[in-house]
Amino acid sequence: KDLLPGCHYPDLHGLFRDTGVADILIQSFLPRHAMLFEKTGIQVLWFTVDYFLTLGSNTTSLPFIACLWDLCFLWGPRALFSGFLAMLDLYFELPRSDKEPKGESEDDESEWLMKKFKVALAEASPDGFAARTAEFLHERQGGISDELIATLRASVTST
């Protein structure tokens, strides 16, 4: 209830609110990802539906899930969003060059990138994930605080 308020309501208003929060955090903390998502038409909602509705349990291993859930029990919503950023940062590989195989269109490219991400996530272990999540919690640009999450949730809800 406190971790994902409104995410499981019939209208999914909490999911859409937290998707907006995640989008702002991606733009702030992972700007290269944000630019790629915009260029290829990848929607943040494609990631957040599974992550927020199932707390990552649909596509990751049990040790990975246990790590994420431990962090959420310890740090609350800020760990959930930090874990989301860590997951993207670690497992959504940004193309290194224009020579990597892509489809004929943006749709093909976004589909290819999402498939790579899902394979990487399915094979992910918690090694490094907890450390990267902690970096987002505490170090990067002042860290992701409870106040930041509350403020973003309030601002996304009011717009």
Side-chain angles (χ1 to χ4, degrees):
K1 176 180 158 184
D2 294 334
L3 194 59
L4 292 162
C7 276
H8 294 96
Y9 281 34
D11 65 358
L12 300 174
H13 71 273
L15 173 65
F16 296 117
R17 178 206 56 231
D18 286 349
T19 297
V21 170
D23 191 25
I24 292 167
L25 293 173
I26 291 168
Q27 291 173 35
S28 300
F29 289 90
L30 300 173
R32 292 181 58 221
H33 285 76
M35 288 188 304
L36 179 68
F37 294 168
E38 185 175 331
K39 177 184 165 227
T40 58
I42 292 174
Q43 302 294 312
V44 174
L45 186 65
W46 298 354
F47 301 101
T48 59
V49 166
D50 174 60
Y51 186 80
F52 291 134
L53 292 181
T54 69
L55 284 176
S57 66
N58 192 35
T59 56
T60 56
S61 67
L62 186 58
F64 187 94
I65 296 162
C67 177
L68 173 62
W69 292 5
D70 281 348
L71 292 166
C72 289
F73 288 131
L74 182 61
W75 296 103
R78 59 186 271 206
L80 184 69
F81 286 98
S82 295
F84 179 75
L85 293 176
M87 178 186 70
L88 289 177
D89 197 25
L90 290 169
Y91 306 112
F92 190 93
E93 186 177 342
L94 296 171
R96 293 189 188 123
S97 72
D98 290 335
K99 295 178 182 176
E100 289 198 39
K102 296 176 187 164
E104 297 292 322
S105 68
E106 281 184 5
D107 289 342
D108 292 340
E109 183 177 6
S110 62
E111 187 176 319
W112 176 76
L113 290 166
M114 291 301 292
K115 282 180 184 178
K116 277 183 64 172
F117 171 70
K118 288 181 181 186
V119 168
L121 195 55
E123 297 171 353
S125 73
D127 299 337
F129 174 73
R132 188 65 55 97
T133 301
E135 287 178 21
F136 284 110
L137 279 166
H138 302 297
E139 296 172 20
R140 293 192 175 190
Q141 299 174 12
I144 296 176
S145 66
D146 291 328
E147 295 80 20
L148 176 62
I149 297 303
T151 301
L152 289 174
R153 279 180 165 168
S155 71
V156 168
T157 302
S158 64
T159 57

